[in-house]
Amino acid sequence: MDKDTKLCISIALKPGITGTALHNAGYKALNLNYIYKAFSVRDLEGALQGVKALGIKGCSVSMPFKEEVLNYLDSVDEAARRIGSVNTIVNRDGELKGYNTDITGAKAMLKHLKVNSDASVLLLGAGGVSRAMLCALEQEGFSNLAVTNRDKTRLEKLNNTFIFNSISWNERNDYKADLLINATSVGMYPDEKSLPIRYQSERNFSAVADVVVSTQETRLINLFKEEKKLYAPGFIMSLDQALEQFKLYTGKDGPREVFEKRLKALIKRN
């Protein structure tokens, strides 16, 4: 570190170690004069004033601030504004602009699956990740979309922004589509044996994408893998959204192999 070292940070109520590990590994690999540090924050507005005052280059945003942070930014990327959630802030000469790199991660999952845009999709969940998924699907030309969620109110709110066929949570096990996307927390550590659909309902789908990343292959992913069907684990989304953040902060492509190796090690340790 020296007087020219650029600082990037992450803010959350309870910060994890993933961002710190990946970004710092990337800086080291490319010999960039950057450092990344996670902070536990309770005063969101004060933290963002600090980002401006200290000339902090970039700021990642985690729970529970991804929606509230829109109130304190100078500008917001159109896609991030549409989904109402920001996970990445870039400081350009004191002007803070918000982005959502989960959209990039979602597109990476779709690309991995090589599913045509005319495929039918069932999306489970109506939270922030679901919004990013719907935005990615929309941008990639998918239109045959169905969404279900336990909370009908959240589902109705989501339907005010995106066009899709809303189905009840109880219908999900009998619904048939080309692609199933799990954007819920079902299957996440420590409930790794849980499934978001009934066992054997995977037969209703040709491919699956699961955003859960606490393990490289969830039980849902394993079901499709055993049936020799296409699958995209949450690892892909996590990796590509981090690489997009890195590029926004530094202007350079992140070292994918370094990020991938580090992320796999972190998941395995969990």
Side-chain angles (χ1 to χ4, degrees), residues 11 64 79 92-93 124 131 194 211 224 240-241 256:
I11 56 175
R92 295 188 176 94
D93 301 319
L124 309 179
R131 288 178 172 273
S194 298
V211 305
F224 279 74
D240 277 77
Q241 74 82 24
R256 175 175 287 272

Side-chain angles (χ1 to χ4, degrees), residues 198-227:
R198 188 173 56 223
Y199 180 68
Q200 293 188 340
S201 290
E202 78 277 359
R203 296 174 182 175
N204 295 333
F205 310 95
S206 301
V208 68
D210 192 349
V211 305
V212 173
V213 76
S214 58
T215 180
Q216 268 191 249
E217 293 184 356
T218 60
R219 188 182 176 199
L220 179 64
I221 290 292
N222 282 327
L223 284 180
F224 279 74
K225 188 176 180 179
E226 289 168 4
E227 295 293 325

Side-chain angles (χ1 to χ4, degrees), residues 18-19 21-27 29-30 235 238-247 253-266:
T18 302
L22 295 183
H23 286 270
N24 283 321
Y27 303 151
L30 298 185
F235 172 85
S238 185
L239 174 63
D240 277 77
Q241 74 82 24
L243 286 167
E244 179 68 10
Q245 279 188 330
F246 189 92
K247 188 168 186 177
D253 291 327
R256 175 175 287 272
E257 289 184 3
V258 172
F259 269 48
E260 185 171 345
K261 183 178 179 180
R262 196 73 182 92
L263 184 55
K264 284 181 177 179
L266 289 170

Side-chain angles (χ1 to χ4, degrees), residues 7-195:
L7 175 63
C8 291
I9 68 171
S10 65
I11 56 175
L13 188 61
K14 296 180 179 179
I17 63 170
T18 302
T20 303
L22 295 183
H23 286 270
N24 283 321
Y27 303 151
K28 183 178 180 180
L30 298 185
N31 196 29
L32 299 178
N33 195 5
Y34 277 72
I35 190 169
Y36 189 104
K37 173 74 172 69
F39 289 93
S40 176
V41 168
R42 293 187 181 274
D43 179 4
L44 177 60
E45 183 177 9
L48 294 181
Q49 288 174 348
V51 170
K52 280 190 175 185
L54 296 173
I56 293 170
K57 183 68 175 176
C59 176
S60 305
V61 184
S62 295
M63 296 297 292
F65 303 122
K66 290 184 178 183
E67 295 180 7
E68 183 185 353
V69 75
L70 273 78
N71 298 319
Y72 305 110
L73 300 176
D74 298 299
S75 62
V76 179
D77 175 73
E78 183 179 347
R81 183 174 295 282
R82 184 144 191 267
I83 65 178
S85 176
V86 161
N87 72 342
T88 304
I89 302 169
V90 177
N91 182 0
R92 295 188 176 94
D93 301 319
E95 296 287 316
L96 303 186
K97 183 170 183 177
Y99 300 85
N100 193 308
T101 62
D102 283 338
I103 299 169
T104 300
K107 287 182 179 180
M109 296 184 91
L110 296 173
K111 183 179 180 180
H112 176 81
L113 290 169
K114 298 179 181 178
V115 179
N116 294 328
S117 59
D118 59 354
S120 55
V121 180
L122 174 62
L123 174 65
L124 309 179
V129 179
S130 297
R131 288 178 172 273
M133 275 290 181
L134 284 169
C135 189
L137 287 163
E138 182 180 83
Q139 290 182 1
E140 294 299 304
F142 288 79
S143 59
N144 190 355
L145 308 174
V147 183
T148 185
N149 190 60
R150 290 189 185 91
D151 188 330
K152 291 182 180 179
T153 302
R154 294 189 73 180
L155 190 60
E156 291 170 358
K157 185 178 179 181
L158 188 64
N159 218 169
N160 290 332
T161 305
F162 296 96
I163 299 173
F164 57 81
N165 177 30
S166 178
I167 70 169
S168 72
W169 185 249
N170 290 334
E171 288 181 83
R172 74 192 190 286
N173 290 312
D174 299 314
Y175 195 88
K176 293 184 178 181
D178 297 311
L179 172 61
L180 172 69
I181 302 176
N182 176 38
T184 74
S185 60
V186 179
M188 186 178 294
Y189 177 85
D191 297 319
E192 295 156 309
K193 294 183 179 180
S194 298
L195 283 169

